[in-house]
Amino acid sequence: MADSKQNMAGISVKNPVTGQEIGVVPKSTRDDVQAAVERAQDAQLAWGAASVEERCRVIRKWGDLIWENQERVMRVIRDETGKNDTGAFIEIIGLDNYIAYYTKHASEFLRPERRQPIFPIIQRGKVYHKPLGVVGVISPWNYPMMLAFLDAVPALLAGNTVVIKPSEITPFSALVTADLAYQAGVPEHVIQIVTGDGETGAALVDYVDMICFTGSTATGRKVAVQAAERLIPFSLELGGKDAMIVLADADLDIAASAAITGSCENAGQMCISIERIYVEEKIYDRFVEKVKTLIHQMTMGAGDGLDIHMGSMTNERELLRVEEHIKDAVEKGAEVIYGGKRRPDLGPLFFEPTILINVDHSMKIMKEETFGPVIPIMKVYNVDEAVRLANDTEYGLSGSVFTRNLALGERIATRLNTGDVSVNRTQAVPASAAMSWGGQKYSGFGGRRGDKEGILRFTATQSILVDTQIGYKPGLTILDPTTLMFLKLMRLARRYVPFL
Ligand code: NAD
């Protein structure tokens, strides 16, 4: 926690399964945020001056400590989200994967790159990737540990310091993980956590050199406006309405299982959740039957172990929206063939995994982000109709296509207007740190996670040209006779010399 004078009003954090208070965190004021950013600016001087290898060494050690303390961290995540062990473990694996990838490749990605200046040989050109300064990270509650740090890791390795504002619903996952960073040797003010709600988040946007936001599209839009006023770089990772397309030749057992895991992982509270499924008419009935058979085998509850397939939802607001979307769909002709109800016997926010059929695009469930364990399945005549409907959305995050014809699957994938698509898997691109991902349309803006671009978005590009002054004669116009001669020579040479 940032060692600032905090507003003692505090925010009570509750366990969604038991309803019990887990603890209280301070609601950081604007002054607290400003002070944290100033400390981060001071700390950045030494952190940014250290070699990339030195930064990688400390971050790698942090990753090892998180891995060694996984049970403790998972307990904190589960207590404040109500998710199952799988959901919590995915957070550990996801961050670990990013730490492994970026600590291995950061020096290569950040190395100055040679570029051709206007007069080769006489001049040398290089592009440098310099830290931006203090990066602010604002994160949501659905993956509260992983998403507080997934962007912070490349930002830190690029030489920035970070101030993180986790969701007020789940701040402890970020706090416990930041403590492990300090134990690993990350200097205290290189990573700081400021707790608070939207006001604290808005204050952070006002002081940092770049803002990296993950959350809803509505809040992302406010952050973008505020960042634009300050002309600071920003990146937005927002909501989604991901589609899955099942072709007639797909392996239906795999597709049915993917429909369930893709829609119900983390009780459907995942930005890249499968939120609608389009199935070719020929296999529609068989597919629906298989999903229904499989879903009966799911275990829901608050217990431990990877054989609990679904945990609780995290907050009432989300649950109310899920119920509203189902009600709207049923009123417009949809049929619930499994689930559709709360399970108060398990806890106040448990909701059954739910299958909906007879759905269409007049319903909220097919157009707006539902963010719950709902599987709406729609019959389509052919691939073209599936692609048209999949693209009929304001969102463009991720998606998937199931077919045994891999080349066709890849071709269909390119027709989807989303940041990534997996063929015969769901959510597989974001799991691969070397493949960048990020939304189009209302799902994201301003940079992608993963790969080289996922670290370079936290840098300022600076091009530097060094002139040897060979043939350089002092003159009173920029087009002195020697320069003019060189320019004409270059124009000619470019026609015949391939590397110019
Ligand atoms: P949210 O927008 O309500 O809150 C996100 C964060 O923004 C929180 O920390 C909140 O305190 C803060 N905030 C609220 N108002 C603010 C303001 N005016 N200025 C600055 N910060 C402010 O989102 P949520 O409910 O926490 O998260 C769920 C949403 O996040 C879903 O839409 C989901 O799809 C999306 N999400 C996207 C990704 C992705 O990578 N694309 C990942 C996870 C979640």
Side-chain angles (χ1 to χ4, degrees):
M1 164 76 56
D3 57 349
S4 54
K5 221 167 79 224
Q6 304 279 359
N7 178 342
M8 293 318 288
I11 296 173
S12 166
V13 180
K14 296 218 166 66
N15 180 322
V17 175
T18 63
Q20 302 284 312
E21 183 175 274
I22 299 168
V24 176
V25 292
K27 182 173 175 332
S28 303
T29 63
R30 180 162 280 275
D31 287 349
D32 296 329
V33 171
Q34 185 179 13
V37 172
E38 281 169 8
R39 288 192 296 274
Q41 280 162 349
D42 290 344
Q44 198 274 329
L45 299 176
W47 181 254
S51 68
V52 183
E53 290 71 23
E54 177 61 15
R55 294 197 289 264
C56 286
R57 194 187 58 72
V58 182
I59 299 294
R60 206 175 286 124
K61 192 163 168 209
W62 177 32
D64 288 343
L65 270 186
I66 298 171
W67 191 259
E68 285 159 25
N69 287 275
Q70 58 183 251
E71 278 181 25
R72 191 173 128 222
V73 177
M74 282 168 64
R75 190 67 264 159
V76 176
I77 296 172
R78 291 192 58 198
D79 281 351
E80 58 183 7
T81 58
K83 64 174 73 179
N84 61 357
D85 264 333
T86 306
F89 194 37
I90 280 174
E91 300 208 35
I92 307 270
I93 293 172
L95 182 61
D96 191 62
N97 192 18
Y98 261 54
I99 290 179
Y101 176 75
Y102 277 119
T103 53
K104 195 164 175 187
H105 294 286
S107 23
E108 162 202 337
F109 292 158
L110 295 168
R111 199 172 292 146
E113 297 163 76
R114 286 205 171 279
R115 290 286 186 276
Q116 185 178 289
I118 185 153
F119 299 133
I121 304 171
I122 296 171
Q123 299 171 333
R124 286 195 303 266
K126 267 193 208 164
V127 167
Y128 284 77
H129 305 293
K130 296 166 45 171
L132 292 165
V134 181
V135 172
V137 174
I138 299 177
S139 55
W141 50 265
N142 62 333
Y143 285 87
M145 191 284 269
M146 182 174 78
L147 291 175
F149 298 104
L150 211 56
D151 298 311
V153 165
L156 288 163
L157 292 175
N160 303 284
T161 49
V162 294
V163 179
I164 300 168
K165 208 296 286 169
S167 168
E168 59 276 30
I169 299 167
T170 55
F172 287 107
S173 303
L175 287 167
V176 70
T177 311
D179 270 345
L180 294 171
Y182 308 139
Q183 282 178 39
V186 177
E188 203 185 357
H189 297 154
V190 165
I191 298 178
Q192 291 176 88
I193 310 287
V194 287
T195 52
D197 56 16
E199 268 180 53
T200 309
L204 189 61
V205 183
D206 274 344
Y207 294 108
V208 288
D209 301 305
M210 185 223 175
I211 193 79
C212 185
F213 173 84
T214 306
S216 64
T217 302
T219 312
R221 189 174 278 122
K222 289 185 201 162
V223 169
V225 168
Q226 209 182 328
E229 283 284 342
R230 293 194 57 225
L231 285 181
I232 57 165
F234 60 91
S235 70
L236 309 173
E237 307 286 354
L238 309 174
K241 190 72 193 167
D242 293 351
M244 170 172 165
I245 296 176
V246 186
L247 301 195
D249 73 338
D251 180 321
L252 290 193
D253 290 317
I254 289 181
S257 133
I260 290 176
T261 56
S263 306
C264 299
E265 169 52 35
N266 211 31
Q269 303 165 119
M270 179 161 46
C271 55
I272 46 172
S273 212
I274 295 297
E275 295 232 343
R276 49 208 173 105
I277 303 184
Y278 302 100
V279 185
E280 278 197 293
E281 156 176 72
K282 206 167 137 196
I283 44 128
Y284 178 82
D285 291 338
R286 270 195 297 142
F287 176 78
V288 170
E289 213 37 57
K290 279 186 188 288
V291 177
K292 203 170 152 191
T293 307
L294 265 182
I295 216 164
H296 271 101
Q297 297 164 25
M298 282 182 82
T299 309
M300 185 166 55
D304 300 338
L306 301 183
D307 52 353
I308 304 283
H309 304 116
M310 214 176 90
S312 169
M313 292 189 68
T314 301
N315 60 72
E316 179 73 18
R317 185 187 65 181
E318 309 301 316
L319 219 161
L320 288 172
R321 192 180 47 231
V322 170
E323 289 175 327
E324 184 210 323
H325 281 195
I326 293 175
K327 183 167 172 277
D328 170 78
V330 170
E331 279 169 6
K332 290 173 179 161
E335 190 187 341
V336 176
I337 58 164
Y338 187 87
K341 294 187 301 297
R342 293 191 186 218
R343 287 290 302 273
D345 53 317
L346 299 173
L349 301 181
F350 279 88
F351 193 83
E352 288 174 336
T354 299
I355 307 175
L356 275 177
I357 57 168
N358 298 337
V359 287
D360 63 45
H361 277 222
S362 69
M363 302 168 185
K364 289 180 182 178
I365 204 94
M366 299 302 274
K367 301 285 278 185
E368 297 174 18
E369 188 178 41
T370 306
F371 225 54
V374 186
I375 313 176
I377 313 177
M378 184 170 173
K379 191 190 289 182
V380 291
Y381 298 115
N382 56 24
V383 170
D384 286 341
E385 190 189 16
V387 170
R388 181 179 61 74
L389 289 169
N391 285 334
D392 177 25
T393 170
E394 291 171 330
Y395 293 102
L397 195 51
S398 183
S400 58
V401 180
F402 282 75
T403 169
R404 284 195 169 91
N405 184 338
L406 304 187
L408 175 66
E410 201 170 327
R411 275 202 305 279
I412 294 170
T414 63
R415 294 172 62 194
L416 298 183
N417 301 329
T418 59
D420 73 81
V421 184
S422 300
V423 177
N424 293 331
R425 283 262 176 184
T426 61
Q427 293 118 3
V429 172
S432 320
M435 295 189 78
S436 74
W437 66 289
Q440 300 180 5
K441 302 195 268 183
Y442 281 8
S443 292
F445 184 81
R448 292 160 67 88
R449 292 195 173 110
D451 201 357
K452 188 172 178 175
E453 59 184 306
I455 188 165
L456 291 190
R457 69 183 163 140
F458 297 112
T459 63
T461 304
Q462 186 182 40
S463 297
I464 296 186
L465 183 149
V466 177
D467 196 304
T468 59
Q469 300 189 318
I470 295 169
Y472 195 170
K473 300 255 178 8
L476 295 177
T477 161
I478 197 165
L479 283 183
D480 63 275
T482 322
T483 307
L484 199 56
M485 183 191 72
F486 276 142
L487 281 172
K488 285 179 179 169
L489 275 175
M490 279 301 298
R491 184 169 190 280
L492 200 63
R494 268 199 292 267
R495 282 221 177 136
Y496 303 105
V497 185
F499 60 86
L500 285 180

